[in-house]
Amino acid sequence: MRGPSFQRTRSAGLGFGAALMLASCAAPPPPSGAGPKPQGGITAIDGANVELSSFQNSAFPYHGLIPNYQESGKTRPFLDVDDNGRLGHSSPRGGLLWEDQTYNDRTVLLAAPQSFDPSQSGVIIVFFHGNQATLTRDVIARQQIVRQLADSGLNGVLIAPQLALDAPDSSAGRFWTAGAFAAFLSEAEGKLGDFYPGARGAFRRMPVVIVAYSGGYLPAVYSLAVGGAEGRIRGLVLLDALYGERDKFVSWVEGPGRNAFFVSAYSTSSREGNMAVEAELRQAGLKTEDALPASLSPGEIAFVDAGTVDHNDFVTSAWGGAPLRDIFSRMR
């Protein structure tokens, strides 16, 4: 699931003042008082203003329990190995993974398209990446998540936490715990408010859409189940991601998810899980669609079969090559 090394655009090494000048060439200036405040850590990448920020409420480090370990209903310590003070996690797929190498990165990607206007109605997109990923090499460069948001025309911002660092592991870390997703959102909204001081309250009122690719399903489903932000979730998008915790996804769609939309796009890799969840929802009397509706509004449920797309390239190879751009464009 690795991709090419991350290459920044020509403007990515510039200070934010220069980046904002470039932004003004691409989009109308924001209303007075709503524009970004200059910050040294922000760069212009793929049509958006981007920062990699350190969070207190990040997914990792995490020293708590794994709930429902391997869907057994039992708990166990996440860090279950102690080698003379060096802590590690026994991952079902990755074997022994050390905390200092894999579960110690507090970085979160924050991105706002250069056309973003916080004085208008907007949405917060939270993206949970899959296994063997980093934010720069994979989320930005290989999967083009920032570019797909910027090209969609959606007035929204992107928040993407680093999960297990470049490892074959889907652990949710702090997102396993009650209220962790709400705390993560609150911190992200505060940082976004620092960039847009004229619109600090706007971010705390924006609805939230969770997007999960592949192994990102685990932090996504626990954010829905125990995250503490139920009233703000406007939608859930799964990209080849229904590999487990089916009962929790079904419960969300049948319950709080009735006030949101649900889209699950899949290849042959996750077809079994998608067919099972769709069948359960239909048996419960919910209407599902087999194609994306023109507009994603509350109550829409769509399962989209993308065919034999390579799972590792799903985010840039499914229909049209930019599935998230298409999905985001239907949220306006």
Side-chain angles (χ1 to χ4, degrees), residues 123-127 149 154 156-160 207-209 211 328 331:
V123 62
I124 294 174
I125 306 294
V126 177
F127 179 76
L149 174 60
L154 178 68
V157 295
L158 173 70
I159 307 170
V208 175
V209 171
V211 179
F328 291 154
M331 289 166 48

Side-chain angles (χ1 to χ4, degrees), residues 7-90:
Q7 299 290 329
R8 296 190 298 180
T9 61
R10 185 168 63 91
S11 62
L14 301 177
F16 185 72
L20 188 55
M21 289 178 62
L22 291 175
S24 68
C25 297
S32 176
K37 178 182 178 181
Q39 299 282 336
I42 302 181
T43 54
I45 300 174
D46 291 343
N49 297 312
V50 174
E51 182 182 43
L52 295 172
S53 180
S54 179
F55 271 47
Q56 289 297 312
N57 293 290
S58 52
F60 297 102
Y62 177 66
H63 290 186
L65 297 174
I66 303 174
N68 196 27
Y69 177 68
Q70 293 188 320
E71 302 194 36
S72 66
K74 300 178 181 179
T75 64
R76 61 171 287 178
F78 175 66
L79 297 175
D80 59 339
V81 175
D82 187 335
D83 184 4
N84 293 320
R86 191 185 189 196
L87 302 178
H89 166 63
S90 301

Side-chain angles (χ1 to χ4, degrees), residues 197-209:
R200 288 184 181 274
F203 295 107
R204 301 194 185 279
R205 294 190 296 270
M206 287 183 183
V208 175
V209 171

Side-chain angles (χ1 to χ4, degrees), residues 209-287:
V209 171
I210 294 177
V211 179
Y213 162 65
S214 188
Y217 79 90
L218 201 52
V221 77
Y222 275 89
S223 295
L224 293 170
V226 300
E230 294 82 359
R232 295 185 60 187
I233 306 300
R234 173 183 168 185
L236 173 64
V237 178
L238 300 180
L239 301 174
D240 224 9
L242 262 174
Y243 292 106
E245 300 288 359
R246 297 175 189 172
D247 57 334
K248 289 184 176 62
F249 282 114
V250 169
S251 293
W252 180 80
V253 175
E254 292 180 345
R258 288 178 180 268
N259 297 316
F261 67 80
F262 173 66
V263 172
S264 186
Y266 60 94
S267 71
T268 54
S269 178
S270 67
R271 175 172 287 134
E272 179 183 351
N274 276 272
M275 297 292 287
V277 170
E278 184 173 20
E280 282 194 58
L281 294 176
R282 287 183 172 176
Q283 187 174 11
L286 297 180
K287 179 184 177 182

